[in-house]
């Protein structure tokens, strides 16, 4: 196979490529967007609102994933990619600004829902256009990018129809648009021509996004505490909120993330791409959604920290249901990565779901303390298990390297 041509404005990456500072800068618009979603969920305070918020979160996740794969192909902080991603940042910031009006337009000015869809489509258009240019010389990848336009355009049409109809029709069409877009990309990506040059970069970027969303859990404490006088209940609720965030961080980064990164580095060729698509691009969304819901529940607890009345079903489901969803995401992720189940996490997810009715009738601080206790017990159990099984303990990871892997990846490409 001949050497691939590359444009001067595009800098291909190698197997040891890591996340760049520019990519962290790019993520700032997603910090704001996540805050907007949490604020929307708190304002709507209903199951219907949660469904709407998660649909918007799914749209954001799809765009972020796309730019992560682009940054895994070529350096995001150089030349064409940097220019394209700066434009995408501006468009994504517009998307974030319109999230409060995503479902109900505020009188005056432009029609918010249409602005959101147009800005979202622009973000996706920039991504695929820049990707196609960066893939110059790689016929297989350019074909894959061309195929990806089909589900994108079909989804964009459904989104536009949805915002014009409004109400339940908008919710339904948004869900169908996501299904068409995600399913279309998934079916063509697992056995297609996407390239994964650096497993370390992909794993690191997803870990950084987890931290980004965990930061929203901490921000939620400050939002819930706004305009409240400092007192013992507020301090206790704030400490418990930080404790919940620490538990979620621990569950992902202590063992799971390093082990998954090693596993991704061990796989070769097209199997690596399929594993990355399954476990990271799609498998991480339940993890993200669960953290956002927990942040919403923490905000509700802190906002009513000094009250003795019951927490209520909405905040209880956000707290315990969100944590259960996060653990279910872990089970899915570990199943995809290692073909194994994690019994303690499965049992804990069931316990969290079963505890929702009890949490709804507890005082806010008591309910949050219960969540932190359950997660802490899980962490202790897993720590003991890992100490008894040294092979399960995470070890420092080095970026995979070697000419053998390079030749195997090239062979996989040549097969096309």
């Amino acid at each position: 196979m001949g050497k691939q041509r590359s444009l001067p404005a595009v800098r291909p990456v190698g197997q040891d490529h890591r996340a760049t500072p520019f990519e962290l800068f790019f993520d700032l618009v997603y910090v704001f967007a996540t805050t907007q979603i949490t604020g929307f969920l708190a304002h709507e305070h209903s199951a219907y609102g949660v469904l709407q918020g998660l649909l918007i979160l799914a749209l954001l996740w799809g765009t972020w994933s796309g730019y992560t794969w682009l940054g895994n192909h070529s350096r995001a902080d150089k030349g064409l990619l940097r220019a394209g991603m700066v434009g995408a940042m501006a468009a994504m910031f517009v998307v974030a600004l319109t999230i409060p009006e995503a479902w109900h337009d505020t009188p005056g000015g432009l029609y918010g829902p249409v602005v959101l869809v147009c800005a979202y489509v622009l973000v996706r258009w920039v991504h695929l256009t820049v990707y196609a240019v960066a893939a110059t010389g790689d016929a297989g990848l350019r074909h894959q990018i061309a195929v990806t336009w089909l589900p994108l355009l079909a989804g964009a049409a459904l989104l536009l129809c949805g915002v014009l109809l409004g109400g339940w029709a908008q919710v339904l069409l948004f869900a169908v648009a996501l299904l068409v877009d995600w399913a279309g990309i998934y079916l063509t990506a697992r056995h297609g021509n996407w390239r994964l040059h650096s497993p370390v970069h992909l794993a690191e970027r997803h870990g950084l996004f987890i931290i980004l969303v965990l930061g929203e859990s901490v921000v939620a404490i400050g939002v819930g505490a706004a305009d409240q006088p400092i007192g013992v209940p507020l301090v206790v609720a704030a400490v418990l909120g930080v404790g919940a965030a620490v538990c979620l961080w621990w569950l992902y980064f202590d063992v799971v993330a390093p082990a998954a990164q090693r596993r991704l580095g061990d796989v070769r060729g097209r199997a690596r791409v399929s594993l990355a698509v399954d476990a990271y691009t799609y498998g991480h969304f339940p993890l993200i959604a669960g953290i956002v819901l927990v942040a919403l529940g923490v905000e509700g607890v802190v906002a009513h920290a000094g009250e003795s009345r019951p927490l209520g079903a909405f905040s209880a489901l956000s707290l315990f249901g969100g944590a259960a969803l996060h653990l279910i995401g872990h089970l899915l992720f570990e199943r995809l990565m290692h073909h194994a189940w994690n019994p303690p996490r499965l049992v804990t997810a069931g316990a969290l779901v079963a505890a929702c009715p009890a949490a709804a009738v507890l005082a806010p601080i008591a309910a949050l303390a219960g969540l932190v206790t359950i997660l802490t017990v899980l962490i202790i159990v897993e720590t003991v298990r890992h100490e008894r099984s040294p092979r399960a303990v995470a070890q420092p990871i080095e970026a995979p390297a070697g000419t053998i892997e390079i030749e195997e990846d090239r062979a996989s490409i040549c097969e096309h």
Side-chain angles (χ1 to χ4, degrees):
M1 181 176 177
K3 185 177 181 179
Q4 289 186 3
R5 294 180 291 114
S6 61
L7 300 177
V10 175
R11 295 276 299 278
V13 304
Q15 294 185 91
D16 59 347
H17 180 58
R18 308 295 292 263
T20 64
F22 178 75
E23 288 175 289
L24 304 184
F25 177 59
F26 177 77
D27 288 349
L28 291 179
V29 292
Y30 288 90
V31 174
F32 176 56
T34 306
T35 301
Q36 289 281 79
I37 291 175
T38 306
F40 171 83
L41 295 174
H43 179 266
E44 292 297 313
H45 204 79
S46 66
Y48 182 57
V50 168
L51 175 59
Q52 292 174 320
L54 291 181
L55 287 173
I56 298 297
L57 180 64
L59 289 177
L60 299 181
W61 175 250
T63 62
W64 182 87
S65 295
Y67 281 94
T68 295
W69 279 83
L70 176 59
N72 196 276
H73 179 274
S74 305
R75 287 194 67 96
D77 58 347
K78 301 293 182 182
L80 176 66
L81 265 71
R82 180 170 61 184
M85 290 178 69
V86 167
M89 284 180 67
M92 181 52 63
F93 195 81
V94 173
V95 172
L97 284 176
T98 55
I99 286 175
E101 298 185 47
W103 308 95
H104 306 288
D105 179 56
T106 300
L110 300 174
Y111 189 65
V114 171
V115 173
L116 182 144
V117 170
C118 290
Y120 164 78
V121 173
L122 178 59
V123 173
R124 297 288 302 277
W125 176 83
V126 170
H127 168 252
L128 290 181
T129 301
V130 173
Y131 216 150
V133 176
T136 297
D138 188 339
L141 180 56
R142 293 194 68 143
H143 173 75
Q144 183 69 55
I145 294 168
V147 170
T148 304
W149 278 101
L150 299 177
L152 168 60
L153 293 176
L158 290 167
L159 291 173
L160 186 58
C161 290
V163 297
L164 294 177
L165 293 173
W168 270 104
Q170 181 180 354
V171 172
L172 177 61
L173 288 175
F174 267 48
V176 174
L178 280 168
L179 179 62
V180 169
D181 192 13
W182 285 26
I185 294 175
Y186 178 79
L187 293 175
T188 60
R190 295 187 72 253
H191 305 291
N193 294 295
W194 295 112
R195 311 291 184 237
L196 181 61
H197 295 299
S198 174
V200 175
H201 173 270
L202 188 80
E204 187 177 41
R205 291 290 289 131
H206 282 77
L208 291 171
F209 198 89
I210 291 285
I211 292 178
L212 180 157
V213 183
L214 284 172
E216 177 56 28
S217 299
V218 178
V219 171
I221 299 172
V223 173
D227 301 323
Q228 291 192 60
I230 295 296
V232 173
L234 181 60
V235 170
V236 172
V239 171
L240 289 172
V242 172
V246 170
C247 288
L248 296 177
W249 174 88
W250 194 299
L251 290 170
Y252 183 83
F253 287 100
D254 186 48
V255 172
V256 171
Q261 186 172 320
R262 284 199 304 275
R263 169 63 178 159
L264 190 63
D266 289 340
V267 181
R268 300 292 189 269
R270 196 176 302 167
R272 174 186 289 175
V273 174
S274 297
L275 185 61
V277 170
D278 290 347
Y280 283 93
T281 301
Y282 291 91
H284 265 57
F285 182 69
L287 296 171
I288 301 299
I291 295 173
V292 170
L293 291 177
V294 170
L296 175 63
V298 169
E299 182 178 333
V301 168
V302 176
H304 303 284
E307 301 178 9
S308 58
R309 64 184 179 89
L311 177 62
F314 180 80
S315 293
L317 286 171
S318 298
L319 266 182
F320 285 75
L325 177 61
H326 183 73
L327 288 179
I328 290 171
H330 272 287
L331 292 169
L332 174 63
F333 181 53
E334 294 184 49
R335 180 65 180 177
L336 291 170
M337 292 300 302
H338 308 291
H339 305 291
W341 294 108
N342 186 318
R345 297 195 179 196
L346 180 61
V347 171
T348 304
L352 288 169
V353 173
C356 280
V361 299
L362 290 174
I365 290 181
L368 182 54
L371 174 67
V372 174
T373 299
I374 292 173
L375 295 180
T376 301
V377 169
L378 171 61
I379 290 171
I380 293 172
V381 169
E382 291 194 340
T383 300
V384 172
R385 290 180 71 227
H386 292 146
E387 288 178 349
R388 292 178 178 176
S389 178
R391 289 179 297 178
V393 179
Q395 299 295 329
I397 306 168
E398 296 183 358
T403 57
I404 295 178
E405 181 178 5
I406 295 174
E407 292 302 321
E408 289 179 353
D409 284 341
R410 286 178 178 173
S412 176
I413 294 172
C414 290
E415 289 174 2
H416 261 310

